Amino acid sequence: MQTFIVLLRGINVGGHNKLPMKDLVPLLKSYHYQDISTYIQTGNILLSAKYNPEQDIKKLITLNFGFTPSVFVISVSDFSTAVANNPYQNFDGKLVHFYFCQAPIQLNLEKTQKWQSSTESYHIADNVFYLHAPDGIGRSKLVANIESCLGQAGTGRNLNTINKITMMLEDNK
């Protein structure tokens, strides 16, 4: 069995794509996933599986909840590398965001420069886009247009969430 970090994109936002974690966990267990733990209602899941669970989780959610979210499955090794590559570790955790993508990022610089504010800074390492947004992301035009800049779908988590997932991984050892 291997441990995976599963990040669901676009669930439980504004009353749409409702997916209570308390309802999802028993379904994951029925698929024989083990050591399941979740963090908040935005789709942060740790589990053990024999193989990458992405397709099974999409199918399970589609059949039981009536929608198909984007599912990002990250190995512990890749997650640890993403954490280690974070150039903004010393900043406030709610102002630093990781955007995980399925493939290496080929950033559209023209769009990024168009939307990036003077206070925002970013770094890319493989398939992770790190953003320091000292004014927050609520009104960030870069965040509002992030997928057109990344050239693909991504799912974002702030550093506080990343740190909590890291602690969960350590607790599971």
Side-chain angles (χ1 to χ4, degrees):
M1 295 287 251
Q2 182 179 350
T3 300
F4 292 97
I5 295 94
V6 179
L7 304 177
L8 304 178
R9 179 177 174 265
I11 65 160
N12 299 327
V13 178
H16 300 287
N17 295 339
K18 291 185 180 181
L19 180 58
M21 294 297 106
K22 67 178 176 52
D23 296 339
L24 180 61
V25 169
L27 291 171
L28 292 170
K29 287 181 181 177
S30 75
Y31 271 65
H32 305 291
Y33 297 121
Q34 299 176 1
D35 307 316
I36 302 165
S37 55
T38 64
Y39 175 64
I40 62 178
Q41 292 297 313
T42 56
N44 306 292
I45 306 163
L46 265 61
L47 56 76
S48 296
K50 293 180 181 176
Y51 54 87
N52 184 316
E54 178 182 351
Q55 294 306 315
D56 283 348
I57 291 173
K58 281 183 181 180
K59 184 172 110 181
L60 179 147
I61 293 170
T62 301
L63 292 173
N64 290 279
F65 297 94
F67 67 94
T68 306
S70 295
V71 177
F72 295 80
V73 177
I74 307 166
S75 70
V76 171
S77 174
D78 288 347
F79 185 82
S80 297
T81 298
V83 171
N85 287 338
N86 174 17
Y88 307 115
Q89 294 179 32
N90 297 322
F91 290 96
D92 185 333
K94 68 182 179 213
L95 303 177
V96 175
H97 292 77
F98 291 49
Y99 290 88
F100 294 93
C101 296
Q102 301 286 13
I105 296 168
Q106 300 293 318
L107 192 66
N108 182 321
L109 286 174
E110 183 180 326
K111 289 181 180 182
T112 302
Q113 290 170 352
K114 175 182 177 181
W115 299 117
Q116 181 183 10
S117 78
S118 62
T119 62
E120 294 173 329
S121 58
Y122 67 87
H123 175 76
I124 298 170
D126 194 33
N127 64 330
V128 182
F129 180 89
Y130 303 89
L131 175 65
H132 178 236
D135 299 328
I137 63 167
R139 291 186 218 140
S140 170
K141 292 181 181 180
L142 178 58
V143 171
N145 295 283
I146 194 70
E147 290 187 358
S148 69
C149 297
L150 298 174
Q152 61 184 305
T155 190
R157 299 297 189 272
N158 71 26
L159 181 56
N160 290 339
T161 298
I162 297 297
N163 289 338
K164 179 61 178 177
I165 293 170
T166 300
M167 288 175 28
M168 291 168 63
L169 285 168
E170 290 171 4
D171 290 346
N172 277 359
K173 286 183 181 178

